[in-house]
Amino acid sequence: MAVKDFLRERFFPHLWCPGCGHGTVLNGLVRAIEELGIRKSDIVMVSGIGCSSRISGYLDFHTLHTIHGRALAFATGVKMSRPKLNLIVPMGDGDALAIGGNHFIHACRRNIDITAIVMNNRIYGMTGGQYSPLSGYGAAATTAPYSNIDHTFDVVELSKAAGATFVARTTSYHPKEITKYIKKAIQHKGFSVVEIMSQCPTYFGRKNKIGGAVEMLEYMKDQTTPIDSKAKAENPDLIERGIFVEKELPEYCEEYEKVIERAKGGA
Amino acid sequence: MAKKKLKSHNINRDWCKGCGICVHFCPKKVLELDAEEKAVAGDTEACIVCRLCELRCPDLAIEIETETETE
């Protein structure tokens, strides 16, 4: 199948701003699905609210556009009732870790077989550029004109600590990595988190005087490095990309199936 | 193995928003923005079919069409 066969072309051009990194995530995601050869009807994409969450509307899978921060709760319900389906949950940084922070850590802890994609642009774009928990200390935002004093979460460390069994990170500058990690995350049995650092030129780039999409991508190229690289040893401030966790633990739906068997008086 | 050769850059002008990502990051400087701020392929002879423009395009507006080189 061609890339376009997975899109709802009637909704294009999409609503994202020129140069928005979320479009590159959509691009990489579609290629991952194409390469895996999963049937469209075997995929359920569940999203919440925000620029990032609009991604579900553009894809021709089963899609649910739900409420802010609660996409993982809806996805858990779908997965529990139809465990054979592939659940993909794209979320923004605020949707995943502020409004949906509790849903996020508990989905990690349960190890339910869902692929969470955190499209981290470090700001609330849709509502006008308010700072998010990923903006970080010293960042500027509409609601932090004198700079933000909140420290940031590290999505990878948080996911690891909460118990996710697959954790990866890349950026929208690295489209081949996007496809590679999303593929691995979908194939992984258990809860997978893929953080994709994405650019919001309209708010984050402008408020922080980084520039447009091109300059923000150059920034991501310069500020990130593969895990355990020589560059990281020389400059500890660099953000690492790669697969941080990949391990096997009992999956939630399978464990629940065993509970049903026990309740029926079986083994 | 048969080598893939460029046939054409298929650029969807209705979807392109002129962000310039493809233009800036093309390793061979093949692409440019025209007067309407839409991406167009200029020096197609220089294209090495790396497909980075196609993969990075946030608007999914670029498709690199190839053909197999016959010699």
Side-chain angles (χ1 to χ4, degrees):
Chain A
M1 287 177 96
V3 163
K4 285 194 173 171
D5 295 330
F6 295 94
L7 303 177
R8 291 173 178 154
E9 287 191 61
R10 63 188 183 280
F11 297 131
F12 279 74
H14 57 56
L15 91 170
W16 292 317
C17 301
C20 173
H22 292 357
T24 309
V25 177
L26 169 64
N27 196 333
L29 171 73
V30 170
R31 289 172 206 277
I33 304 289
E34 186 202 15
E35 287 177 23
L36 286 172
I38 305 174
R39 290 192 325 162
K40 290 198 282 188
S41 54
D42 288 338
I43 300 170
V44 185
M45 179 165 273
V46 188
S47 66
I49 296 297
C51 291
S52 58
S53 301
R54 297 296 291 259
I55 195 172
S56 62
Y58 298 118
L59 289 160
D60 195 24
F61 311 137
H62 298 294
T63 57
L64 283 170
H65 195 173
T66 69
I67 54 178
H68 208 357
R70 274 70 180 160
L72 282 170
F74 284 85
T76 300
V78 175
K79 185 71 183 176
M80 293 288 285
S81 61
R82 294 281 185 278
K84 287 201 168 63
L85 296 176
N86 292 286
L87 268 290
I88 303 173
V89 181
M91 296 175 285
D93 45 305
D95 192 46
L97 297 166
I99 300 94
N102 259 303
H103 291 293
F104 184 82
I105 57 175
H106 291 286
C108 290
R109 179 175 65 87
R110 283 181 176 142
N111 195 34
I112 186 160
D113 187 17
I114 291 173
T115 302
I117 301 171
V118 180
M119 299 152 78
N120 175 13
N121 61 7
R122 306 177 63 193
I123 204 138
Y124 290 96
M126 185 165 280
T127 47
Q130 294 82 0
Y131 64 82
S132 86
L134 274 300
S135 293
Y137 185 88
T142 313
T143 45
Y146 303 106
S147 101
N148 186 25
I149 57 168
D150 291 10
H151 292 281
T152 175
F153 274 136
D154 180 323
V155 181
V156 166
E157 292 302 325
L158 182 74
S159 310
K160 274 162 77 174
T165 49
F166 181 95
V167 182
R169 170 162 57 211
T170 185
T171 85
S172 50
Y173 175 76
H174 303 90
K176 290 182 182 175
E177 289 184 7
I178 295 178
T179 301
K180 184 171 135 192
Y181 297 152
I182 291 178
K183 268 172 78 177
K184 276 183 172 276
I186 292 172
Q187 287 173 314
H188 178 76
K189 186 99 187 151
F191 194 76
S192 326
V193 179
V194 182
E195 178 192 5
I196 303 172
M197 294 165 62
S198 173
Q199 74 276 13
C200 174
T202 302
Y203 284 108
F204 198 87
R206 194 158 51 91
K207 289 281 168 192
N208 290 283
K209 300 188 172 51
I210 301 172
V214 164
E215 290 76 19
M216 295 184 86
L217 285 173
E218 288 280 3
Y219 180 84
M220 286 197 270
K221 178 176 80 173
D222 295 341
Q223 296 300 314
T224 65
T225 180
I227 295 174
D228 289 334
S229 67
K230 193 163 163 272
K232 175 75 178 174
E234 286 165 7
N235 180 4
D237 291 338
L238 293 179
I239 299 167
E240 289 183 300
R241 307 189 315 271
I243 297 171
F244 296 81
V245 179
E246 194 172 11
K247 62 182 179 187
E248 281 186 34
L249 280 177
E251 194 274 328
Y252 196 68
C253 295
E254 288 181 0
E255 292 302 300
Y256 191 70
E257 202 50 48
K258 290 179 195 164
V259 171
I260 295 171
E261 287 304 314
R262 283 200 290 277
K264 283 179 182 168
Chain B
M1 208 176 100
K3 209 175 152 217
K4 293 273 184 198
K5 178 169 145 274
L6 177 77
K7 194 173 171 197
S8 63
H9 291 77
N10 300 336
I11 299 173
N12 185 334
R13 294 181 67 82
D14 292 334
W15 292 12
C16 173
K17 294 186 184 130
C19 67
I21 290 174
C22 58
V23 176
H24 182 82
F25 292 105
C26 174
K28 296 293 174 187
K29 303 288 168 225
V30 172
L31 296 150
E32 54 197 41
L33 293 183
D34 67 9
E36 291 174 22
E37 300 238 309
K38 303 279 183 188
V40 288
D43 185 11
T44 50
E45 288 294 310
C47 177
I48 52 169
V49 200
C50 67
R51 292 180 184 268
L52 283 172
C53 55
E54 183 179 7
L55 301 179
R56 282 209 185 97
C57 178
D59 295 304
L60 289 89
I62 306 178
E63 190 195 351
I64 302 296
E65 204 176 324
T66 55
E67 55 194 0
T68 308
E69 202 158 45
T70 45
E71 279 182 64

PDB file of all heavy atoms in Angstrom, chain B residues 4-33:
ATOM      1  N   LYS B   4      18.174   2.486  -8.348  1.00  0.00           N
ATOM      2  CA  LYS B   4      16.991   3.338  -8.495  1.00  0.00           C
ATOM      3  C   LYS B   4      17.419   4.705  -9.006  1.00  0.00           C
ATOM      4  O   LYS B   4      18.373   5.284  -8.519  1.00  0.00           O
ATOM      5  CB  LYS B   4      16.287   3.500  -7.140  1.00  0.00           C
ATOM      6  CG  LYS B   4      15.675   2.218  -6.616  1.00  0.00           C
ATOM      7  CD  LYS B   4      14.272   2.023  -7.145  1.00  0.00           C
ATOM      8  CE  LYS B   4      13.650   0.785  -6.535  1.00  0.00           C
ATOM      9  NZ  LYS B   4      12.510   0.297  -7.286  1.00  0.00           N
ATOM     10  N   LYS B   5      16.683   5.184  -9.970  1.00  0.00           N
ATOM     11  CA  LYS B   5      17.027   6.468 -10.586  1.00  0.00           C
ATOM     12  C   LYS B   5      15.810   7.379 -10.450  1.00  0.00           C
ATOM     13  O   LYS B   5      14.668   6.920 -10.519  1.00  0.00           O
ATOM     14  CB  LYS B   5      17.364   6.193 -12.047  1.00  0.00           C
ATOM     15  CG  LYS B   5      17.712   7.362 -12.885  1.00  0.00           C
ATOM     16  CD  LYS B   5      18.280   6.862 -14.223  1.00  0.00           C
ATOM     17  CE  LYS B   5      17.886   7.747 -15.357  1.00  0.00           C
ATOM     18  NZ  LYS B   5      16.652   7.551 -16.020  1.00  0.00           N
ATOM     19  N   LEU B   6      16.077   8.659 -10.285  1.00  0.00           N
ATOM     20  CA  LEU B   6      14.972   9.610 -10.128  1.00  0.00           C
ATOM     21  C   LEU B   6      14.116   9.693 -11.383  1.00  0.00           C
ATOM     22  O   LEU B   6      14.634   9.786 -12.488  1.00  0.00           O
ATOM     23  CB  LEU B   6      15.530  11.004  -9.813  1.00  0.00           C
ATOM     24  CG  LEU B   6      14.478  12.106  -9.688  1.00  0.00           C
ATOM     25  CD1 LEU B   6      13.753  12.022  -8.362  1.00  0.00           C
ATOM     26  CD2 LEU B   6      15.101  13.480  -9.865  1.00  0.00           C
ATOM     27  N   LYS B   7      12.809   9.634 -11.184  1.00  0.00           N
ATOM     28  CA  LYS B   7      11.917   9.882 -12.308  1.00  0.00           C
ATOM     29  C   LYS B   7      11.373  11.305 -12.164  1.00  0.00           C
ATOM     30  O   LYS B   7      11.504  12.118 -13.061  1.00  0.00           O
ATOM     31  CB  LYS B   7      10.783   8.860 -12.319  1.00  0.00           C
ATOM     32  CG  LYS B   7      10.004   8.835 -13.609  1.00  0.00           C
ATOM     33  CD  LYS B   7       9.023   7.678 -13.610  1.00  0.00           C
ATOM     34  CE  LYS B   7       8.092   7.781 -14.804  1.00  0.00           C
ATOM     35  NZ  LYS B   7       6.912   6.935 -14.609  1.00  0.00           N
ATOM     36  N   SER B   8      10.775  11.580 -11.001  1.00  0.00           N
ATOM     37  CA  SER B   8      10.311  12.960 -10.786  1.00  0.00           C
ATOM     38  C   SER B   8      10.062  13.247  -9.307  1.00  0.00           C
ATOM     39  O   SER B   8       9.872  12.338  -8.511  1.00  0.00           O
ATOM     40  CB  SER B   8       9.024  13.209 -11.569  1.00  0.00           C
ATOM     41  OG  SER B   8       8.012  12.352 -11.093  1.00  0.00           O
ATOM     42  N   HIS B   9      10.104  14.538  -8.980  1.00  0.00           N
ATOM     43  CA  HIS B   9       9.670  15.003  -7.663  1.00  0.00           C
ATOM     44  C   HIS B   9       8.189  15.359  -7.825  1.00  0.00           C
ATOM     45  O   HIS B   9       7.877  16.325  -8.525  1.00  0.00           O
ATOM     46  CB  HIS B   9      10.412  16.278  -7.257  1.00  0.00           C
ATOM     47  CG  HIS B   9      11.864  16.084  -6.956  1.00  0.00           C
ATOM     48  ND1 HIS B   9      12.808  15.927  -7.942  1.00  0.00           N
ATOM     49  CD2 HIS B   9      12.523  16.018  -5.776  1.00  0.00           C
ATOM     50  CE1 HIS B   9      13.997  15.782  -7.361  1.00  0.00           C
ATOM     51  NE2 HIS B   9      13.857  15.826  -6.065  1.00  0.00           N
ATOM     52  N   ASN B  10       7.322  14.598  -7.229  1.00  0.00           N
ATOM     53  CA  ASN B  10       5.899  14.944  -7.300  1.00  0.00           C
ATOM     54  C   ASN B  10       5.544  15.781  -6.079  1.00  0.00           C
ATOM     55  O   ASN B  10       5.493  15.271  -4.967  1.00  0.00           O
ATOM     56  CB  ASN B  10       5.041  13.680  -7.336  1.00  0.00           C
ATOM     57  CG  ASN B  10       5.373  12.818  -8.539  1.00  0.00           C
ATOM     58  OD1 ASN B  10       5.888  13.319  -9.543  1.00  0.00           O
ATOM     59  ND2 ASN B  10       5.107  11.527  -8.444  1.00  0.00           N
ATOM     60  N   ILE B  11       5.362  17.067  -6.290  1.00  0.00           N
ATOM     61  CA  ILE B  11       5.088  17.973  -5.172  1.00  0.00           C
ATOM     62  C   ILE B  11       3.641  18.457  -5.251  1.00  0.00           C
ATOM     63  O   ILE B  11       3.217  19.013  -6.259  1.00  0.00           O
ATOM     64  CB  ILE B  11       6.081  19.164  -5.170  1.00  0.00           C
ATOM     65  CG1 ILE B  11       7.516  18.617  -5.001  1.00  0.00           C
ATOM     66  CG2 ILE B  11       5.747  20.144  -4.047  1.00  0.00           C
ATOM     67  CD1 ILE B  11       8.614  19.634  -5.145  1.00  0.00           C
ATOM     68  N   ASN B  12       2.907  18.188  -4.191  1.00  0.00           N
ATOM     69  CA  ASN B  12       1.494  18.564  -4.125  1.00  0.00           C
ATOM     70  C   ASN B  12       1.395  20.030  -3.672  1.00  0.00           C
ATOM     71  O   ASN B  12       1.555  20.346  -2.492  1.00  0.00           O
ATOM     72  CB  ASN B  12       0.799  17.627  -3.126  1.00  0.00           C
ATOM     73  CG  ASN B  12      -0.699  17.852  -3.076  1.00  0.00           C
ATOM     74  OD1 ASN B  12      -1.172  18.944  -3.381  1.00  0.00           O
ATOM     75  ND2 ASN B  12      -1.422  16.827  -2.679  1.00  0.00           N
ATOM     76  N   ARG B  13       1.146  20.900  -4.614  1.00  0.00           N
ATOM     77  CA  ARG B  13       1.147  22.344  -4.323  1.00  0.00           C
ATOM     78  C   ARG B  13       0.005  22.759  -3.406  1.00  0.00           C
ATOM     79  O   ARG B  13       0.075  23.782  -2.729  1.00  0.00           O
ATOM     80  CB  ARG B  13       1.093  23.153  -5.622  1.00  0.00           C
ATOM     81  CG  ARG B  13       2.343  23.000  -6.467  1.00  0.00           C
ATOM     82  CD  ARG B  13       2.259  23.830  -7.733  1.00  0.00           C
ATOM     83  NE  ARG B  13       2.266  25.265  -7.506  1.00  0.00           N
ATOM     84  CZ  ARG B  13       3.364  25.985  -7.311  1.00  0.00           C
ATOM     85  NH1 ARG B  13       4.537  25.406  -7.313  1.00  0.00           N
ATOM     86  NH2 ARG B  13       3.280  27.291  -7.126  1.00  0.00           N
ATOM     87  N   ASP B  14      -1.055  21.960  -3.406  1.00  0.00           N
ATOM     88  CA  ASP B  14      -2.178  22.295  -2.525  1.00  0.00           C
ATOM     89  C   ASP B  14      -1.844  21.987  -1.054  1.00  0.00           C
ATOM     90  O   ASP B  14      -2.420  22.581  -0.149  1.00  0.00           O
ATOM     91  CB  ASP B  14      -3.433  21.511  -2.927  1.00  0.00           C
ATOM     92  CG  ASP B  14      -3.975  21.964  -4.271  1.00  0.00           C
ATOM     93  OD1 ASP B  14      -3.725  23.128  -4.629  1.00  0.00           O
ATOM     94  OD2 ASP B  14      -4.623  21.157  -4.953  1.00  0.00           O
ATOM     95  N   TRP B  15      -0.951  21.043  -0.845  1.00  0.00           N
ATOM     96  CA  TRP B  15      -0.609  20.650   0.530  1.00  0.00           C
ATOM     97  C   TRP B  15       0.625  21.376   1.057  1.00  0.00           C
ATOM     98  O   TRP B  15       0.772  21.567   2.266  1.00  0.00           O
ATOM     99  CB  TRP B  15      -0.375  19.127   0.620  1.00  0.00           C
ATOM    100  CG  TRP B  15      -1.610  18.300   0.416  1.00  0.00           C
ATOM    101  CD1 TRP B  15      -2.822  18.731  -0.056  1.00  0.00           C
ATOM    102  CD2 TRP B  15      -1.768  16.891   0.681  1.00  0.00           C
ATOM    103  NE1 TRP B  15      -3.712  17.681  -0.104  1.00  0.00           N
ATOM    104  CE2 TRP B  15      -3.100  16.549   0.335  1.00  0.00           C
ATOM    105  CE3 TRP B  15      -0.915  15.904   1.165  1.00  0.00           C
ATOM    106  CZ2 TRP B  15      -3.589  15.242   0.477  1.00  0.00           C
ATOM    107  CZ3 TRP B  15      -1.394  14.602   1.299  1.00  0.00           C
ATOM    108  CH2 TRP B  15      -2.727  14.283   0.958  1.00  0.00           C
ATOM    109  N   CYS B  16       1.541  21.763   0.172  1.00  0.00           N
ATOM    110  CA  CYS B  16       2.784  22.434   0.582  1.00  0.00           C
ATOM    111  C   CYS B  16       2.470  23.783   1.217  1.00  0.00           C
ATOM    112  O   CYS B  16       1.688  24.557   0.673  1.00  0.00           O
ATOM    113  CB  CYS B  16       3.698  22.636  -0.629  1.00  0.00           C
ATOM    114  SG  CYS B  16       5.161  23.634  -0.277  1.00  0.00           S
ATOM    115  N   LYS B  17       3.075  24.034   2.407  1.00  0.00           N
ATOM    116  CA  LYS B  17       2.848  25.319   3.077  1.00  0.00           C
ATOM    117  C   LYS B  17       4.099  26.200   3.026  1.00  0.00           C
ATOM    118  O   LYS B  17       4.166  27.226   3.707  1.00  0.00           O
ATOM    119  CB  LYS B  17       2.412  25.090   4.523  1.00  0.00           C
ATOM    120  CG  LYS B  17       1.044  24.402   4.631  1.00  0.00           C
ATOM    121  CD  LYS B  17       0.566  24.304   6.060  1.00  0.00           C
ATOM    122  CE  LYS B  17      -0.748  23.525   6.143  1.00  0.00           C
ATOM    123  NZ  LYS B  17      -0.722  22.478   7.152  1.00  0.00           N
ATOM    124  N   GLY B  18       5.107  25.756   2.289  1.00  0.00           N
ATOM    125  CA  GLY B  18       6.288  26.599   2.083  1.00  0.00           C
ATOM    126  C   GLY B  18       7.153  26.801   3.317  1.00  0.00           C
ATOM    127  O   GLY B  18       7.766  27.857   3.473  1.00  0.00           O
ATOM    128  N   CYS B  19       7.238  25.789   4.199  1.00  0.00           N
ATOM    129  CA  CYS B  19       8.031  25.951   5.429  1.00  0.00           C
ATOM    130  C   CYS B  19       9.529  25.981   5.139  1.00  0.00           C
ATOM    131  O   CYS B  19      10.300  26.498   5.941  1.00  0.00           O
ATOM    132  CB  CYS B  19       7.713  24.842   6.433  1.00  0.00           C
ATOM    133  SG  CYS B  19       8.235  23.190   5.915  1.00  0.00           S
ATOM    134  N   GLY B  20       9.926  25.404   4.016  1.00  0.00           N
ATOM    135  CA  GLY B  20      11.343  25.466   3.621  1.00  0.00           C
ATOM    136  C   GLY B  20      12.231  24.390   4.215  1.00  0.00           C
ATOM    137  O   GLY B  20      13.449  24.413   4.024  1.00  0.00           O
ATOM    138  N   ILE B  21      11.672  23.435   4.941  1.00  0.00           N
ATOM    139  CA  ILE B  21      12.481  22.367   5.546  1.00  0.00           C
ATOM    140  C   ILE B  21      13.181  21.555   4.453  1.00  0.00           C
ATOM    141  O   ILE B  21      14.380  21.286   4.528  1.00  0.00           O
ATOM    142  CB  ILE B  21      11.601  21.464   6.453  1.00  0.00           C
ATOM    143  CG1 ILE B  21      11.182  22.226   7.717  1.00  0.00           C
ATOM    144  CG2 ILE B  21      12.339  20.171   6.834  1.00  0.00           C
ATOM    145  CD1 ILE B  21      10.201  21.489   8.620  1.00  0.00           C
ATOM    146  N   CYS B  22      12.445  21.198   3.416  1.00  0.00           N
ATOM    147  CA  CYS B  22      13.028  20.387   2.336  1.00  0.00           C
ATOM    148  C   CYS B  22      14.150  21.150   1.634  1.00  0.00           C
ATOM    149  O   CYS B  22      15.192  20.586   1.297  1.00  0.00           O
ATOM    150  CB  CYS B  22      11.949  19.969   1.339  1.00  0.00           C
ATOM    151  SG  CYS B  22      11.055  21.340   0.577  1.00  0.00           S
ATOM    152  N   VAL B  23      13.927  22.438   1.445  1.00  0.00           N
ATOM    153  CA  VAL B  23      14.918  23.266   0.740  1.00  0.00           C
ATOM    154  C   VAL B  23      16.208  23.353   1.546  1.00  0.00           C
ATOM    155  O   VAL B  23      17.307  23.133   1.040  1.00  0.00           O
ATOM    156  CB  VAL B  23      14.349  24.694   0.504  1.00  0.00           C
ATOM    157  CG1 VAL B  23      15.400  25.600  -0.128  1.00  0.00           C
ATOM    158  CG2 VAL B  23      13.086  24.639  -0.331  1.00  0.00           C
ATOM    159  N   HIS B  24      16.073  23.636   2.839  1.00  0.00           N
ATOM    160  CA  HIS B  24      17.243  23.841   3.695  1.00  0.00           C
ATOM    161  C   HIS B  24      18.060  22.574   3.889  1.00  0.00           C
ATOM    162  O   HIS B  24      19.293  22.621   3.910  1.00  0.00           O
ATOM    163  CB  HIS B  24      16.806  24.385   5.049  1.00  0.00           C
ATOM    164  CG  HIS B  24      17.952  24.683   5.977  1.00  0.00           C
ATOM    165  ND1 HIS B  24      18.671  25.849   5.901  1.00  0.00           N
ATOM    166  CD2 HIS B  24      18.510  23.955   6.967  1.00  0.00           C
ATOM    167  CE1 HIS B  24      19.628  25.830   6.822  1.00  0.00           C
ATOM    168  NE2 HIS B  24      19.555  24.683   7.486  1.00  0.00           N
ATOM    169  N   PHE B  25      17.378  21.437   4.073  1.00  0.00           N
ATOM    170  CA  PHE B  25      18.097  20.212   4.433  1.00  0.00           C
ATOM    171  C   PHE B  25      18.428  19.301   3.251  1.00  0.00           C
ATOM    172  O   PHE B  25      19.022  18.247   3.438  1.00  0.00           O
ATOM    173  CB  PHE B  25      17.337  19.438   5.509  1.00  0.00           C
ATOM    174  CG  PHE B  25      17.322  20.151   6.847  1.00  0.00           C
ATOM    175  CD1 PHE B  25      16.192  20.801   7.298  1.00  0.00           C
ATOM    176  CD2 PHE B  25      18.464  20.188   7.636  1.00  0.00           C
ATOM    177  CE1 PHE B  25      16.186  21.475   8.513  1.00  0.00           C
ATOM    178  CE2 PHE B  25      18.476  20.858   8.852  1.00  0.00           C
ATOM    179  CZ  PHE B  25      17.329  21.498   9.297  1.00  0.00           C
ATOM    180  N   CYS B  26      18.075  19.700   2.037  1.00  0.00           N
ATOM    181  CA  CYS B  26      18.443  18.887   0.873  1.00  0.00           C
ATOM    182  C   CYS B  26      19.964  18.892   0.734  1.00  0.00           C
ATOM    183  O   CYS B  26      20.567  19.958   0.602  1.00  0.00           O
ATOM    184  CB  CYS B  26      17.812  19.446  -0.402  1.00  0.00           C
ATOM    185  SG  CYS B  26      18.384  18.560  -1.874  1.00  0.00           S
ATOM    186  N   PRO B  27      20.602  17.718   0.785  1.00  0.00           N
ATOM    187  CA  PRO B  27      22.073  17.712   0.755  1.00  0.00           C
ATOM    188  C   PRO B  27      22.655  18.178  -0.575  1.00  0.00           C
ATOM    189  O   PRO B  27      23.822  18.543  -0.648  1.00  0.00           O
ATOM    190  CB  PRO B  27      22.428  16.240   1.026  1.00  0.00           C
ATOM    191  CG  PRO B  27      21.211  15.468   0.689  1.00  0.00           C
ATOM    192  CD  PRO B  27      20.040  16.370   0.908  1.00  0.00           C
ATOM    193  N   LYS B  28      21.851  18.181  -1.628  1.00  0.00           N
ATOM    194  CA  LYS B  28      22.356  18.582  -2.950  1.00  0.00           C
ATOM    195  C   LYS B  28      21.733  19.878  -3.455  1.00  0.00           C
ATOM    196  O   LYS B  28      21.890  20.247  -4.617  1.00  0.00           O
ATOM    197  CB  LYS B  28      22.114  17.451  -3.964  1.00  0.00           C
ATOM    198  CG  LYS B  28      22.880  16.170  -3.644  1.00  0.00           C
ATOM    199  CD  LYS B  28      24.385  16.378  -3.784  1.00  0.00           C
ATOM    200  CE  LYS B  28      25.159  15.165  -3.322  1.00  0.00           C
ATOM    201  NZ  LYS B  28      26.599  15.407  -3.288  1.00  0.00           N
ATOM    202  N   LYS B  29      20.966  20.534  -2.573  1.00  0.00           N
ATOM    203  CA  LYS B  29      20.343  21.829  -2.925  1.00  0.00           C
ATOM    204  C   LYS B  29      19.508  21.737  -4.218  1.00  0.00           C
ATOM    205  O   LYS B  29      19.598  22.609  -5.091  1.00  0.00           O
ATOM    206  CB  LYS B  29      21.403  22.936  -3.063  1.00  0.00           C
ATOM    207  CG  LYS B  29      22.243  23.119  -1.805  1.00  0.00           C
ATOM    208  CD  LYS B  29      21.445  23.778  -0.697  1.00  0.00           C
ATOM    209  CE  LYS B  29      22.150  23.723   0.646  1.00  0.00           C
ATOM    210  NZ  LYS B  29      21.302  23.335   1.761  1.00  0.00           N
ATOM    211  N   VAL B  30      18.734  20.675  -4.306  1.00  0.00           N
ATOM    212  CA  VAL B  30      17.906  20.463  -5.495  1.00  0.00           C
ATOM    213  C   VAL B  30      16.644  21.314  -5.441  1.00  0.00           C
ATOM    214  O   VAL B  30      16.181  21.839  -6.449  1.00  0.00           O
ATOM    215  CB  VAL B  30      17.526  18.960  -5.612  1.00  0.00           C
ATOM    216  CG1 VAL B  30      16.511  18.737  -6.723  1.00  0.00           C
ATOM    217  CG2 VAL B  30      18.779  18.124  -5.834  1.00  0.00           C
ATOM    218  N   LEU B  31      16.105  21.456  -4.223  1.00  0.00           N
ATOM    219  CA  LEU B  31      14.796  22.104  -4.096  1.00  0.00           C
ATOM    220  C   LEU B  31      14.913  23.599  -3.808  1.00  0.00           C
ATOM    221  O   LEU B  31      15.910  24.067  -3.262  1.00  0.00           O
ATOM    222  CB  LEU B  31      14.005  21.419  -2.977  1.00  0.00           C
ATOM    223  CG  LEU B  31      13.672  19.945  -3.261  1.00  0.00           C
ATOM    224  CD1 LEU B  31      13.576  19.157  -1.973  1.00  0.00           C
ATOM    225  CD2 LEU B  31      12.396  19.825  -4.071  1.00  0.00           C
ATOM    226  N   GLU B  32      13.878  24.316  -4.185  1.00  0.00           N
ATOM    227  CA  GLU B  32      13.815  25.752  -3.881  1.00  0.00           C
ATOM    228  C   GLU B  32      12.359  26.170  -3.730  1.00  0.00           C
ATOM    229  O   GLU B  32      11.459  25.413  -4.118  1.00  0.00           O
ATOM    230  CB  GLU B  32      14.499  26.553  -4.998  1.00  0.00           C
ATOM    231  CG  GLU B  32      13.968  26.239  -6.380  1.00  0.00           C
ATOM    232  CD  GLU B  32      14.889  26.705  -7.508  1.00  0.00           C
ATOM    233  OE1 GLU B  32      16.115  26.556  -7.382  1.00  0.00           O
ATOM    234  OE2 GLU B  32      14.358  27.198  -8.506  1.00  0.00           O
ATOM    235  N   LEU B  33      12.136  27.351  -3.153  1.00  0.00           N
ATOM    236  CA  LEU B  33      10.773  27.866  -3.058  1.00  0.00           C
ATOM    237  C   LEU B  33      10.546  28.825  -4.217  1.00  0.00           C
ATOM    238  O   LEU B  33      11.401  29.649  -4.522  1.00  0.00           O
ATOM    239  CB  LEU B  33      10.547  28.592  -1.725  1.00  0.00           C
ATOM    240  CG  LEU B  33      10.562  27.747  -0.439  1.00  0.00           C
ATOM    241  CD1 LEU B  33      10.244  28.624   0.766  1.00  0.00           C
ATOM    242  CD2 LEU B  33       9.573  26.591  -0.496  1.00  0.00           C
TER     243      LEU B  33
END
